[in-house]
Amino acid sequence: MLKIDDIKILEYDTDRYPFMEIIQDIFGYNNLEKFHEGLEEEVAFADQYNDQDTNHHRTFYSQFEEKLIPTYHKFVREFVAPLFEDSIVFQVKPTFRCNVPGNRAVPYHRDSDFNHESYERNFWLPFTDTNKHNTIIIESEREKKDFRPYVLNYGQILFFDGANLEHGNEINESNKSRLSMDFRVTLKDMFHDSENETLSANTKMVL
C-alpha cells in the first residue's frame, strides 16, 4: 500500500491501459520520441503561464474526452485506487505535458504555490521512455533542493508529493521528446471543496 508521503515508481500493464497508442491516435504520429520533428509551429519557452498554450495541447484537449478519459478512469479505478487503504478523490481530467528538445514542459515549482492544497499528491505517467534530460526532476525534502531526475520507461508511473516538493524540468538537451500526463489524488477524508481555481484552466477544485 502507498503511504501519502512516498516517492515510488510503479509498473502497470500497457496492454490493459494502452496510453501510448491512444496518444499516437490523438496526434496521428507514431514515434512520440520524435514528436518535435512533426511540429509546424515554434514552441515558446515554457513558463508557468504558457506551458499549456500550444497547438499540440489544444489538439490533445480537443480529443481526450473521447479517446483518453475512458481508459484513464478505468486505470484510476482498477490500478490507482487499490494502492491506498482508504478511498481517494482524484483529478477527473489529467494534465498533458510535452517536453521537446531545447525546451522544457514546466519550470520548477510546488503545486501548493499555485492554489493546490498541501494534502494533494501526484501521479506522473510518461507516454514515452524518458532520459535524464527530458524527465521530471524532484527534490527529496521540502527546501532541500537536492534535485534528482526520475528516469521512467513507458509502462511505469511515479507517485510523489508535488504539492510540497519542488519539481520541474531542466532544458531538454536530448534529441528525444517526452510526452506525459499527470494527475492529483488525495485521501477522501482529507479532501474539502475549495474556491481556489487551477492556474491554466481556471477550474474550481470541488468534488
Side-chain angles (χ1 to χ4, degrees):
M1 290 291 174
L2 279 180
K3 294 182 172 56
I4 203 67
D5 292 322
D6 284 345
I7 299 181
K8 193 167 185 179
I9 296 174
L10 305 158
E11 296 189 359
Y12 67 91
D13 184 349
T14 57
D15 291 328
R16 187 167 182 80
Y17 313 105
F19 291 117
M20 181 175 66
E21 287 85 349
I22 293 171
I23 302 306
Q24 289 171 335
D25 180 47
I26 287 176
F27 289 111
Y29 204 91
N30 286 331
N31 188 349
L32 296 181
E33 291 186 346
K34 296 297 182 182
F35 180 76
H36 54 282
E37 294 181 358
L39 295 178
E40 297 179 355
E41 63 169 346
E42 183 176 347
V43 180
F45 192 67
D47 60 30
Q48 63 264 41
Y49 301 105
N50 71 2
D51 65 286
Q52 297 284 300
D53 187 20
T54 71
N55 285 337
H56 44 277
H57 281 82
R58 284 182 278 275
T59 297
F60 173 84
Y61 290 119
S62 71
Q63 299 185 48
F64 82 135
E65 288 277 10
E66 173 189 358
K67 295 183 176 180
L68 177 68
I69 289 297
T71 299
Y72 166 61
H73 285 184
K74 175 183 175 182
F75 178 72
V76 172
R77 182 175 63 252
E78 296 179 351
F79 181 84
V80 174
L83 296 172
F84 300 90
E85 291 185 3
D86 301 314
S87 296
I88 64 168
V89 172
F90 72 98
Q91 182 177 331
V92 69
K93 297 179 180 179
T95 304
F96 174 66
R97 313 285 184 186
C98 184
N99 191 358
V100 298
N103 209 321
R104 60 187 179 184
V106 291
Y108 285 106
H109 65 286
R110 298 182 188 89
D111 292 0
S112 57
D113 293 335
F114 295 98
N115 294 339
H116 288 278
E117 300 291 346
S118 61
Y119 54 70
E120 296 178 19
R121 296 296 182 265
N122 298 50
F123 281 97
W124 184 80
L125 187 155
F127 303 126
T128 61
D129 291 346
T130 70
N131 59 63
K132 66 180 182 180
H133 300 291
N134 69 13
T135 196
I136 191 169
I137 299 172
I138 311 171
E139 65 181 353
S140 66
E141 298 176 16
R142 187 180 178 96
E143 302 287 357
K144 194 168 184 180
K145 297 190 181 296
D146 56 341
F147 298 105
R148 58 158 284 194
Y150 284 80
V151 178
L152 276 68
N153 293 322
Y154 175 58
Q156 295 182 310
I157 185 171
L158 174 68
F159 177 70
F160 73 103
D161 181 1
N164 302 295
L165 299 181
E166 193 170 351
H167 60 284
N169 307 138
E170 294 290 342
I171 297 174
N172 181 1
E173 295 181 348
S174 76
N175 63 354
K176 294 182 178 180
S177 292
R178 179 265 291 170
L179 282 67
S180 62
M181 71 176 179
D182 52 79
F183 57 94
R184 298 170 183 87
V185 303
T186 189
L187 301 181
K188 189 173 183 180
D189 62 4
M190 298 176 70
F191 178 82
H192 59 80
D193 284 347
S194 171
E195 290 299 309
N196 291 336
E197 296 181 344
T198 59
L199 186 64
S200 297
N202 302 121
T203 301
K204 286 189 177 180
M205 287 174 265
V206 297
L207 190 64

